[in-house]
Amino acid sequence: CKETGYSGDTWCKDCGKKILSGQTIAKTENHSWDAGKVTTKATCTEEGEKTFTCSICGDEKTEKVSATGHQHTEIRNKKEATCKETGYSGDTWCKDCGKKILSGQAIAKTEDHSWNQGEITKEPTCKEEGEKTFTCSICGNTKTEKVSTTDHQHMEIRNQKNPTCKEAGYSGDTYCADCGVKISSGKTIAKTKNHNWDGGVITTEPTCTERGEKTFTCTICGNTNTKKVNATGHSYGAYKVVKEPTNKRKGLKSKTCSVCGKIVYEAIPKTNFSPTDSSETNPDQNPQTSQKTTRKIKLNRRKLTLKKGKSFRLKVTLAPADSQDKITYKTSNKKIATVSKTGKIKAKKKGKVKITVISGKKKAVCTVKVK
């Protein structure tokens, strides 16, 4: 681009003779431009200029540089809309040149209030809804919402009745303790099988050898239940000598049951000494061997009331306790009550009867009333 060129001469390489002359070549129009340098800086709205220099000939050329446009913008005067005031979208400004690029628009008031937590202005009940009032913290407007009924929160049981052996029970009705409404009915509870027995009464006295009977009565329904009472066993006193022993024969001693009068005898071994008086040589005349008779009869009951079919045992005490007289029993009417050889009275039918106890020449009477 700075000088013309030459195509060159043609020569023979063998003989060294110039065969043909060359031609001049015109300067080229293609410069070798450098990267260029900004000589006028472009702005947001105006073009700039860039200058390029040929590294061969030093020629220069210029080119326009496009305006940058508003590359860095910001929003100013923006305002949020509320339920009380309109808002504004804000103006657009160029941060580089400070020029207002675009105006904003008004934003209508919002319908979204900023409600508080609300306050109960009408309490709900079991039957009726309540009411809660909310207030906007911005504009002061209020709104109300229904509060659901509480339902029956507090219950109580009424008319409850425990079952007994006599009457059925009742589980009780369920009522609302707040409004008094009956919510549900209870159920009948079957009678209990467990009776409330009293301490019991001896209806048949046990004897030395036979069991008695104790009757228990339910204090609620009046039912009765009987249980056997163990025989008492004999109640013997101390042994008493009936016949003194000698060196020739055995003696005899006895003990008597104070309840039924049974006598148990036991031999006494012979003695090792000789008799010294006529009473020992003639034992049949010994005063201790003479039979003791009953002087008095004592009964445990003089009057007695029995239900039909029930029994009672008379207890007989003799004086002296070692009386050898037998004890016998008689009834004035066997159809009303009977009496055994051991004093067991059994009621047969309604009426009155006398039970007579005889020992030796003594008598004692027990009057029995049969219901």
Side-chain angles (χ1 to χ4, degrees), residues 51-65:
T51 299
F52 300 87
T53 302
C54 179
S55 59
I56 299 172
C57 65
D59 283 357
E60 293 181 345
K61 71 172 183 176
T62 59
E63 290 182 1
K64 294 292 184 182
V65 178

Side-chain angles (χ1 to χ4, degrees), residues 254-272:
S254 68
K255 59 181 180 180
T256 305
C257 175
S258 61
V259 178
C260 68
K262 181 178 179 180
I263 301 173
V264 175
Y265 294 94
E266 186 176 321
I268 304 173
K270 295 178 183 180
T271 62
N272 295 323

Side-chain angles (χ1 to χ4, degrees), residues 291-340:
Q291 184 173 332
K292 293 186 178 181
T293 60
T294 303
R295 296 195 303 270
K296 186 177 181 181
I297 299 174
K298 183 179 178 182
L299 303 180
N300 61 334
R301 296 291 290 272
R302 290 287 184 174
K303 289 184 179 181
L304 180 65
T305 301
L306 290 176
K307 289 184 179 179
K308 180 181 176 181
K310 298 299 180 179
S311 300
F312 182 83
R313 175 96 47 194
L314 279 178
K315 286 185 180 180
V316 178
T317 305
L318 300 180
D322 59 349
S323 172
Q324 292 177 284
D325 291 330
K326 292 183 179 181
I327 302 173
T328 57
Y329 301 87
K330 290 184 179 181
T331 175
S332 62
N333 192 333
K334 292 182 179 180
K335 292 182 179 180
I336 296 176
T338 60
V339 61
S340 70

Side-chain angles (χ1 to χ4, degrees), residues 113-262:
H113 294 276
S114 181
W115 303 113
N116 64 4
Q117 296 297 315
E119 181 181 355
I120 296 293
T121 48
K122 181 183 177 182
E123 290 289 342
T125 67
C126 306
K127 297 179 180 179
E128 296 183 358
E129 293 180 325
E131 198 171 73
K132 192 173 188 179
T133 300
F134 299 84
T135 303
C136 178
S137 59
I138 299 172
C139 65
N141 281 8
T142 59
K143 70 171 183 175
T144 58
E145 290 183 2
K146 294 292 184 182
V147 179
S148 299
T149 57
T150 59
D151 293 328
H152 303 294
Q153 291 182 319
H154 307 102
M155 309 295 182
E156 64 180 3
I157 304 298
R158 300 179 187 175
N159 309 319
Q160 190 176 26
K161 182 182 177 183
N162 291 326
T164 66
C165 53
K166 188 176 182 180
E167 295 180 349
Y170 188 64
S171 63
D173 304 315
T174 303
Y175 282 80
C176 176
D178 299 319
C179 67
V181 169
K182 182 179 178 180
I183 299 167
S184 64
S185 297
K187 294 182 179 179
T188 300
I189 304 172
K191 294 179 183 179
T192 179
K193 294 181 180 179
N194 298 321
H195 294 279
N196 187 29
W197 302 114
D198 62 10
V201 176
I202 296 293
T203 48
T204 300
E205 290 286 343
T207 68
C208 305
T209 57
E210 294 185 8
R211 294 194 296 174
E213 199 172 70
K214 192 173 186 178
T215 300
F216 299 85
T217 304
C218 177
T219 59
I220 299 171
C221 67
N223 279 10
T224 58
N225 181 32
T226 57
K227 289 185 178 180
K228 292 294 182 182
V229 179
N230 291 333
T232 61
H234 294 288
S235 180
Y236 291 109
Y239 273 105
K240 293 186 179 182
V241 176
V242 175
K243 184 185 292 184
E244 291 289 345
T246 68
N247 63 339
K248 293 183 178 181
R249 68 176 180 185
K250 295 179 181 180
L252 187 65
K253 62 181 179 180
S254 68
K255 59 181 180 180
T256 305
C257 175
S258 61
V259 178
C260 68
K262 181 178 179 180

